[in-house]
């Protein structure tokens, strides 16, 4: 496990160090800076010729800066004659722009996939894409991991009574995710009927499925952005008499009014992973951060050894 290189951008250095510790492979030296006009400067300070290189860089906010930094790092590795470059994206920005839902709009997720591929990435390792079909936007192999095992293990460790749990899907699009968690954790499943009124606003009207009165509700989503959907769902669940509500997400984007909304949502816990680094003002007293470093590290190890990673989905 010493014949490949781990190189980290600036997007999530804490997670990169955890992955490095898990693998027992130090992060390679890299110089990243900016010219006075904002252009990104990059120099890899170690020899990567003929090596397997893994670039660790989620395209989290500020998305454009981190994406451009990733592209520059890929180009640096390819021009330094790296044998294979794998872009490790714990969080893939622009994933929500994955289709044309009205006229004269781009499919930006495909554009970003093209940029990463054309820059020279030979493979992509990512986690909890907003839509699984985004894998098909890349013209290189994509390994798509799920943080569900990490989140499930957390709630199982709490010893919650299965007959008192209700797994609630915050919208119709997350039903499959809710069923997957219910299969592992137990409990009934319910769905919140969500209606989107604009790009930023949603309304929640009804709960379909098992009753939530007096129950422990667990809600899972792939990301929390402005927290409008998850907090709207929490309100209607509270109104229906739920005993306590726990919210879990892979990617805590938390932009705009998200933190204020979560603060006022009366949630027992907010569980997220470290795929995106949180600033101190984004961490509430009930926030619990789980690391996905072992999951990503094990995937890197298995990819490098040409082994199956299907066991990581269990």
């Amino acid at each position: 496990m010493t014949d490949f290189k781990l190189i980290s951008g600036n997007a999530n250095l804490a997670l990169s160090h955890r992955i490095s510790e898990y693998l027992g492979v130090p992060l390679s030296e890299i110089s990243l800076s900016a010219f006075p006009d904002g252009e990104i400067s990059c120099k890899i300070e170690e020899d990567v010729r003929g090596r397997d290189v893994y670039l660790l860089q989620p395209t989290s906010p500020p998305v454009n800066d981190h994406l451009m930094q990733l592209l520059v790092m890929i180009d640096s590795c390819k021009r330094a004659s790296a044998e294979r470059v794998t872009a490790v994206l714990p969080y893939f920005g622009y994933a929500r722009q994955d289709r044309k839902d009205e006229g004269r709009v781009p499919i930006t997720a495909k554009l970003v996939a093209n940029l990463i591929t054309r820059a020279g990435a030979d493979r992509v390792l990512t986690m909890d894409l907003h839509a699984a079909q985004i894998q098909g936007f890349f013209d290189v192999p994509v390994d798509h991991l799920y943080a569900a095992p990490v989140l499930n293990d957390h709630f199982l460790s709490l010893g919650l009574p299965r007959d008192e749990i209700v797994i609630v899907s915050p919208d119709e699009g997350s039903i499959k995710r809710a069923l997957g968690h219910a299969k592992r954790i137990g409990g009934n499943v319910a769905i919140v009927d969500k209606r989107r009124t604009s790009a930023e606003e949603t309304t929640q009207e009804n709960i379909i499925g098992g009753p939530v009165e007096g129950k422990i509700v667990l809600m899972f989503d792939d990301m929390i952005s402005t927290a409008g959907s998850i907090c709207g769902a929490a309100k209607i669940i509270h109104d229906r008499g739920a005993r306590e509500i726990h919210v879990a997400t892979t990617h805590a984007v938390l932009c705009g009014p998200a933190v204020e909304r979560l603060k006022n949502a009366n949630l027992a816990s907010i569980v997220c992973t470290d795929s995106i680094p949180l600033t101190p003002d984004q961490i509430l007293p009930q926030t619990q951060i789980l690391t996905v470093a072992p999951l990503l590290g094990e995937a890197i190890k298995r990819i490098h050894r040409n082994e199956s990673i299907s066991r990581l989905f269990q």
Side-chain angles (χ1 to χ4, degrees):
M1 294 300 295
T2 59
D3 57 343
F4 68 87
K5 297 287 186 179
L6 285 177
I7 301 178
S8 176
N10 293 334
N12 196 342
L13 281 169
L15 176 58
S16 296
H17 282 294
R18 293 185 191 110
I19 293 171
S20 169
E21 291 172 8
Y22 177 84
L23 291 170
V25 176
L27 293 175
S28 296
E29 293 293 327
I30 183 173
S31 297
L32 287 166
S33 59
F35 291 103
D37 62 354
E39 293 180 6
I40 293 170
S41 172
C42 173
K43 182 182 179 183
I44 300 166
E45 302 289 355
E46 298 182 17
D47 180 24
V48 298
R49 183 179 295 273
R51 298 294 187 94
D52 212 354
V53 177
Y54 294 84
L55 297 176
L56 312 174
Q57 177 82 336
T59 52
S60 51
V63 179
N64 296 333
D65 289 349
H66 290 153
L67 173 60
M68 192 64 202
Q69 195 176 89
L70 172 65
L71 298 176
V72 170
M73 289 193 298
I74 294 172
D75 189 66
S76 296
C77 290
K78 297 302 289 188
R79 293 182 186 277
S81 301
E83 178 67 22
R84 181 174 71 169
V85 176
T86 300
V88 181
L89 305 166
Y91 169 73
F92 179 67
Y94 285 107
R96 284 169 291 180
Q97 299 185 48
D98 61 344
R99 63 194 181 280
K100 286 191 68 171
D101 52 3
E102 57 181 316
R104 300 177 298 283
V105 297
I107 304 179
T108 318
K110 171 61 175 170
L111 170 63
V112 173
N114 285 343
L115 289 171
I116 292 171
T117 304
R118 294 298 178 90
D122 300 292
R123 193 177 198 94
V124 170
L125 172 62
T126 189
M127 186 170 61
D128 275 312
L129 291 168
H130 189 61
Q133 61 266 25
I134 292 174
Q135 296 173 74
F137 290 178
F138 290 89
D139 295 326
V140 295
V142 176
D143 291 299
H144 184 207
L145 301 178
Y146 297 90
V150 176
L151 300 174
N152 290 340
D153 288 345
H154 167 76
F155 285 109
L156 287 170
S157 71
L158 300 180
L160 302 174
R162 292 197 170 201
D163 59 344
E164 297 183 19
I165 295 174
V166 178
I167 310 289
V168 175
S169 172
D171 54 47
E172 294 87 342
S174 299
I175 296 172
K176 186 176 179 180
R177 179 180 294 107
L179 291 171
H181 287 289
K183 184 177 179 180
R184 181 76 176 91
I185 298 172
N188 295 322
V189 175
I191 305 160
V192 174
D193 178 20
K194 183 182 82 170
R195 309 292 173 90
R196 182 167 292 279
T197 56
S198 70
E200 294 83 22
E201 297 295 330
T202 59
T203 59
Q204 290 76 20
E205 301 293 341
N206 301 296
I207 297 178
I208 305 167
V212 298
E213 184 176 358
K215 301 291 186 178
I216 300 170
V217 170
L218 309 181
M219 277 198 295
F220 296 89
D221 212 345
D222 63 314
M223 72 170 69
I224 297 178
S225 183
T226 61
S229 296
I230 209 79
C231 290
K235 183 181 184 304
I236 191 172
I237 292 167
H238 269 301
D239 292 345
R240 299 297 173 89
R243 189 162 88 235
E244 58 185 62
I245 299 175
H246 300 264
V247 167
T249 185
T250 302
H251 310 300
V253 181
L254 304 185
C255 56
V259 174
E260 194 63 29
R261 284 172 170 171
L262 291 169
K263 188 184 298 184
N264 298 325
N266 193 21
L267 301 172
S269 70
I270 303 166
V271 182
C272 62
T273 77
D274 57 354
S275 66
I276 295 176
L278 297 182
T279 58
D281 62 306
Q282 292 177 314
I283 301 175
L284 300 176
Q286 64 269 47
T287 301
Q288 299 180 50
I289 303 173
L290 310 177
T291 185
V292 289
L295 182 66
L296 290 166
E298 187 63 27
I300 290 171
K301 182 191 298 183
R302 288 169 174 266
I303 291 169
H304 181 63
R305 293 175 173 174
N306 293 317
E307 297 175 352
S308 171
I309 66 168
S310 59
R311 186 179 69 84
L312 303 180
F313 301 149
Q314 298 174 2

